[in-house]
């Protein structure tokens, strides 16, 4: 029972942090996205096939919070693309391990893309394979591997997943 | 097919004098052009990139790819040789391979269990002799007369190419000495290892993407990552090489040591790597700190082989790209990122970091995912209008600058010669 309470409380904290994560990317200030991560974080976007075959390169491969910052900066300052936005739906975190203040979990996601010409379309589905660090004050991502279900990416991948 | 526009009955005439300089937009739109390309380009006397040798290590290994829109299986048989044939059952045309890759002893069709060897020969028919003397295949049926079409296969530097036309020139002659040299420069006798594979769906005709890869003119204009952050703005020199027929090319840029030295001496050059404006400075420039991989100073080399292949070196980020049309207005771009078994862990990490530059979300390539769609949409009702390719003159010669469209003109010159358009 005690384990259940601990797991449920942990899941609730992560779910709350992910709700803020989604709000920040989809409706808030995307520039604040790196603030969900620890300084020496790891963030990667790959596909289920590559992940299953242990292929190590990603579509996005960032190993510091500074690189996350740079990614957002480049999207707003340097890269060229038609105006579009994402809408994330993130499922409940499935807690797979709790060790001290570090938690491993997985969450499913769906992301719709909204473009200038044409209706909303389903852009990506997949799962986050995460390691979080939970302290009394904060819940931060140490490692997030974004595993896309499909190996096909339509047009381009810009904003964070 | 989505987005297809009604096309007039006969293929419009493309004025001879347009050469490779004026390109009518109907070539990106018409179903009859698409069919002609299958026949004359992808099934014609051309070499299509299939896969890397390192993807087929053991006998029985296979990959399923496409040549143009035709599904193709590439295998390694027990004799160690590579084979390629249509992914189509000899019997009634079902797909033989239903996975992207794997290891098999043969290809048995799921529909009626007709069996094909690793070389694409029909070798077995289920219930060939019937059951209890009833049924079975017709008397005198000769299995050797049936089978998926085979491709001629040749390799260069660990890459496998295939052609549906037996009479195609040898790959070595097709590529030419200069291109082979530039391919060998990248592989340099090492053992490639696949680091990841991604497929990008492009909302445009395949030729708009091919034009883009041959377009050294757009690079610093559309892709502003390096210029925005004023990263490593070492003086660059470079040029392009266009193959004799026009359809293959190399575009490259390299550090200009002389110019660097002059600037230093004149104290006109600051060592500063990023803008003074702190708001738009990169915080982590480790991505750009490459390692010395090649004996020359070439930091970027894009090489294309007519019709479907790109070999990319952007600093230490290496990839092959296979272009696959799926409709007049849709293309699949298959990326394979690679490194080498010889990489040290530090070198490998640099490749993983620099892979951020390329691919569907790459800092210097994401724009290429949408630019072809902009052309496709803008020209939808401008079939008879023509693009103009006049940068660097009107010829298709090699040269020492990159502000030129010579390699795109080269592509169209060879394309017209092969299709008769």
């Amino acid at each position: 029972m005690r384990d259940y309470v601990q797991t449920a409380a942990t899941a609730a904290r992560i779910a709350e942090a992910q709700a803020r994560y989604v709000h920040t990317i989809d409706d808030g200030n995307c520039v604040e996205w790196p603030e969900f991560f620890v300084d020496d974080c790891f963030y990667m976007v790959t596909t289920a096939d590559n992940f299953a075959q242990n292929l190590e390169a990603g579509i996005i491969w960032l190993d510091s919070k500074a690189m996350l910052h740079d990614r957002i900066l480049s999207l707003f300052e340097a890269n060229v693309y038609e105006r579009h936005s994402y809408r994330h739906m993130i499922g409940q975190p499935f807690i797979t391990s709790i060790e001290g203040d570090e938690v491993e979990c997985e969450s499913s996601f769906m992301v719709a893309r909204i473009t200038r010409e044409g209706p909303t379309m389903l852009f990506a589905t997949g799962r986050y394979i995460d390691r979080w660090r939970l302290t009394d004050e904060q819940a931060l991502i140490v490692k997030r591997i974004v595993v896309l279900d499909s190996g096909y990416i339509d047009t381009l991948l810009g904003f964070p997943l | 097919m989505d987005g297809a526009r009604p096309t007039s009955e006969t293929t419009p005439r493309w004025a001879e004098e347009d050469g490779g300089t004026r390109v009518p937009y109907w070539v990106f739109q018409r179903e009859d052009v698409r069919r002609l390309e299958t026949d004359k380009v992808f099934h014609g006397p051309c070499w299509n990139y299939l896969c890397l040798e390192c993807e087929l290590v053991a006998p029985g290994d296979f990959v399923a790819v496409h040549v143009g829109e035709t599904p193709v299986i590439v295998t390694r048989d027990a004799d160690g040789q590579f084979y390629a044939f249509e992914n189509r059952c000899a019997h009634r045309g079902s797909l033989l391979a239903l996975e992207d890759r794997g290891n098999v002893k043969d290809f048995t069709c799921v529909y009626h269990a007709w069996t094909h060897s690793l070389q694409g020969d029909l070798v077995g028919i289920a219930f060939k002799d019937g059951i209890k003397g009833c049924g079975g295949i017709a008397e005198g049926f000769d299995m050797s007369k049936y089978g998926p079409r085979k491709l001629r296969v040749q390799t260069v530097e660990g890459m496998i190419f295939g052609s549906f036309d037996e009479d195609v020139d040898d790959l070595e002659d097709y590529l030419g000495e200069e291109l082979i040299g530039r391919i060998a420069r990248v592989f340099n006798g090492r053992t490639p290892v696949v680091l990841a594979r991604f497929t990008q769906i492009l909302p445009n005709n395949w030729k708009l993407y091919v034009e883009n890869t041959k377009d050294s003119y757009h690079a610093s204009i559309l892709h502003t990552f390096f210029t925005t952050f004023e990263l490593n703005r070492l003086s660059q020199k470079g040029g392009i090489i266009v193959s004799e027929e026009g359809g293959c090319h190399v575009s490259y840029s390299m550090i200009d040591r002389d110019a660097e030295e002059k600037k230093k001496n004149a104290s006109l050059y600051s060592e500063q790597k990023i803008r003074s404006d702190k708001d738009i400075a990169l915080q982590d420039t480790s991505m750009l700190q490459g390692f010395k991989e090649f004996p020359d100073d070439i930091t970027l080399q894009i090489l294309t082989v007519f019709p479907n292949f790109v070999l990319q070196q952007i600093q230490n980020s290496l990839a092959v790209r296979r272009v696959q049309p799926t409709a007049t207005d849709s293309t699949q771009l298959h990326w394979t990122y690679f490194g080498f078994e010889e990489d040290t862990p530090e070198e490998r990490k640099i490749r993983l970091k620099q892979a951020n530059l390329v691919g569907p979300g790459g800092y210097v390539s994401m724009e290429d995912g949408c630019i072809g769609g902009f052309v496709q949409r803008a020209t939808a009702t401008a079939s008879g209008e023509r693009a103009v390719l006049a940068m660097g003159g009107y010829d298709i010669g090699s040269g020492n600058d990159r502000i030129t469209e010579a390699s795109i003109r080269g592509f169209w010159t060879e394309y017209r010669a092969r299709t008769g358009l």
Side-chain angles (χ1 to χ4, degrees):
Chain A
M1 190 62 190
R2 199 147 145 215
D3 282 355
Y4 172 77
V5 170
Q6 190 197 9
T7 304
T10 303
R13 284 195 69 190
I14 291 170
E16 189 276 334
Q18 299 207 125
R20 280 189 289 114
Y21 182 99
V22 165
H23 175 81
T24 300
I25 299 171
D26 294 349
D27 301 297
N29 184 2
C30 199
V31 171
E32 290 166 10
W33 170 62
E35 299 309 319
F36 286 90
F37 294 80
V38 301
D39 287 346
D40 60 345
C41 63
F42 179 75
Y43 174 90
M44 173 188 188
V45 179
T46 187
T47 68
D49 277 349
N50 286 322
F51 187 74
Q53 294 170 51
N54 291 317
L55 295 179
E56 48 188 337
I59 299 176
I60 300 173
W61 194 100
L62 312 170
D63 71 349
S64 71
K65 184 173 170 178
M67 285 188 85
L68 269 67
H69 164 89
D70 293 344
R71 172 88 197 166
I72 293 295
L73 194 66
S74 180
L75 285 174
F76 288 114
E77 298 293 338
N79 292 115
V80 179
Y81 41 82
E82 203 168 18
R83 175 167 57 78
H84 69 286
S85 60
Y86 294 160
R87 171 69 57 193
H88 291 65
M89 305 295 289
I90 303 184
Q92 289 297 310
F94 162 49
I95 309 289
T96 51
S97 103
I98 302 177
E99 280 173 35
D101 61 357
E102 301 235 332
V103 178
E104 289 186 346
C105 62
E106 290 186 20
S107 317
S108 292
F109 65 82
M110 295 180 88
V111 177
R113 185 179 62 194
I114 301 91
T115 50
R116 198 169 64 85
E117 292 188 352
T120 298
M121 65 166 274
L122 183 61
F123 178 64
T125 66
R127 58 178 168 148
Y128 297 129
I129 300 177
D130 289 345
R131 173 176 277 267
W132 289 73
R133 187 172 298 152
L134 305 187
T135 62
D136 288 345
E137 297 81 35
Q138 283 179 305
L140 294 173
I141 300 168
V142 176
K143 182 177 180 181
R144 167 158 283 185
I145 300 176
V146 183
V147 181
L148 300 172
D149 292 325
S150 170
Y152 291 77
I153 294 98
D154 187 78
T155 310
L156 61 85
L157 173 62
F159 304 115
L161 295 176
Chain B
M1 186 212 61
D2 288 342
R5 309 201 67 85
T7 46
S8 54
E9 278 179 19
T10 54
T11 313
R13 203 180 80 80
W14 186 349
E16 186 74 39
E17 61 269 25
D18 282 358
T21 297
R22 302 301 304 270
V23 181
Y25 295 117
W26 54 257
V27 299
F28 305 114
Q29 299 168 343
R30 295 182 60 90
E31 286 295 326
D32 52 0
V33 171
R34 178 184 173 193
R35 287 192 296 271
L36 185 72
E37 287 165 352
T38 296
D39 192 25
K40 302 285 187 189
V41 176
F42 298 107
H43 290 193
C46 297
W47 284 103
N48 294 274
Y49 170 74
L50 301 175
C51 64
L52 297 172
E53 281 187 34
C54 69
E55 295 178 90
L56 301 171
V57 178
D61 280 356
F62 77 91
V63 298
V65 295
H66 284 78
V67 167
E69 298 185 54
T70 309
V72 164
I73 298 172
V74 194
T75 65
R76 189 195 278 266
D77 201 355
D79 61 1
Q81 301 298 305
F82 301 110
Y83 297 89
F85 49 91
E86 269 180 298
N87 187 359
R88 176 177 65 82
C89 180
H91 178 212
R92 279 163 57 192
S94 170
L95 289 170
L96 289 171
L98 296 170
E99 286 293 343
D100 297 332
R101 59 197 66 251
N103 184 279
V104 293
K105 61 178 179 20
D106 55 41
F107 291 94
T108 300
C109 180
V110 294
Y111 201 173
H112 306 93
W114 284 33
T115 301
H116 307 69
S117 73
L118 291 167
Q119 301 186 19
D121 296 317
L122 176 62
V123 293
I125 294 175
F127 302 116
K128 183 166 169 283
D129 302 321
I131 295 172
K132 292 179 181 165
C134 299
I137 196 84
E139 209 171 311
F141 186 88
D142 182 357
M143 283 198 287
S144 71
K145 289 200 165 60
Y146 298 83
R149 288 175 286 185
K150 294 182 180 184
L151 287 85
R152 188 173 159 201
V153 171
Q154 288 190 341
T155 64
V156 57
E157 296 291 332
M159 302 189 296
I160 306 174
F161 286 77
S163 178
F164 273 107
D165 192 324
E166 254 316 298
D167 300 325
V168 65
D169 290 343
D170 281 343
L171 181 60
E172 207 176 300
D173 299 327
Y174 185 86
L175 296 171
E177 223 169 86
E178 214 164 6
L179 237 73
I180 290 176
R182 290 298 186 131
I183 293 170
R185 175 189 164 275
V186 173
F187 289 95
N188 201 16
R190 296 171 290 177
T191 313
V193 43
V194 172
L195 300 181
R197 301 182 186 90
F198 302 105
T199 299
Q200 191 173 4
I201 301 170
L202 306 175
N204 53 264
N205 186 271
W206 69 279
K207 300 185 293 299
L208 287 169
Y209 182 74
V210 171
E211 279 195 317
N212 176 274
T213 64
K214 290 169 180 286
D215 181 357
S216 48
Y217 173 36
H218 86 287
S220 64
I221 301 169
L222 177 64
H223 308 302
T224 58
F225 178 78
F226 285 111
T227 46
T228 299
F229 298 110
E230 296 185 355
L231 289 161
N232 279 340
R233 286 326 291 165
L234 296 168
S235 305
Q236 300 273 304
K237 60 181 180 183
I240 61 161
I241 301 164
V242 185
S243 65
E244 208 169 309
E245 316 293 325
C248 305
H249 102 294
V250 183
S251 161
Y252 62 95
S253 61
M254 60 203 296
I255 300 162
D256 185 344
R257 299 272 173 204
D258 293 345
E260 286 301 301
E261 205 51 42
K262 274 180 199 151
K263 279 180 182 169
K264 270 185 201 159
N265 294 343
S267 305
L268 289 171
Y269 184 67
S270 154
E271 285 294 302
Q272 211 169 307
K273 281 186 175 164
I274 48 179
R275 281 193 185 180
S276 51
D277 180 352
K278 283 228 158 47
D279 287 344
I280 62 158
L282 291 186
Q283 289 184 0
D284 186 339
T285 53
S286 64
M287 182 177 71
L288 283 311
Q289 284 148 21
F291 62 95
K292 177 79 180 159
E293 182 168 11
F294 305 103
D296 54 34
D297 283 332
I298 293 176
T299 53
L300 178 145
Q301 176 181 290
I302 303 292
L303 181 151
T304 61
V305 176
F306 188 90
N308 78 334
F309 176 71
V310 183
L311 170 64
Q312 156 221 308
Q313 176 223 335
I314 299 177
Q315 302 188 4
N316 302 112
S317 161
L318 310 177
V320 289
R321 312 176 198 163
R322 181 169 54 81
V323 181
Q324 178 191 330
T326 50
T328 55
D329 61 354
S330 181
T331 300
Q332 289 180 2
L333 180 61
H334 298 275
W335 296 80
T336 302
Y337 301 175
F338 66 92
F340 297 100
E341 277 181 17
E342 292 84 349
D343 291 346
T344 66
E346 294 74 24
E347 289 169 349
R348 181 62 57 80
K349 191 170 174 185
I350 288 166
R351 290 200 205 282
L352 301 181
K353 282 196 182 191
Q354 291 192 343
N356 284 301
L357 294 169
V358 301
Y363 288 129
V364 297
S365 74
M366 78 169 75
E367 289 87 4
D368 295 329
C370 58
I371 198 71
F374 296 168
V375 177
Q376 198 83 34
R377 280 153 59 191
T379 58
T381 60
S383 310
E385 300 293 316
R386 297 169 298 163
V388 57
L389 297 161
M391 293 302 292
Y394 297 108
D395 68 9
I396 63 167
S398 302
N400 286 324
D401 79 87
R402 302 178 69 236
I403 309 302
T404 174
E405 290 166 327
S407 45
I408 312 175
R409 288 189 292 272
F411 169 76
W412 289 114
T413 302
E414 179 156 354
Y415 175 89
R416 296 192 67 176
R418 288 182 179 275
T419 58
L421 285 171

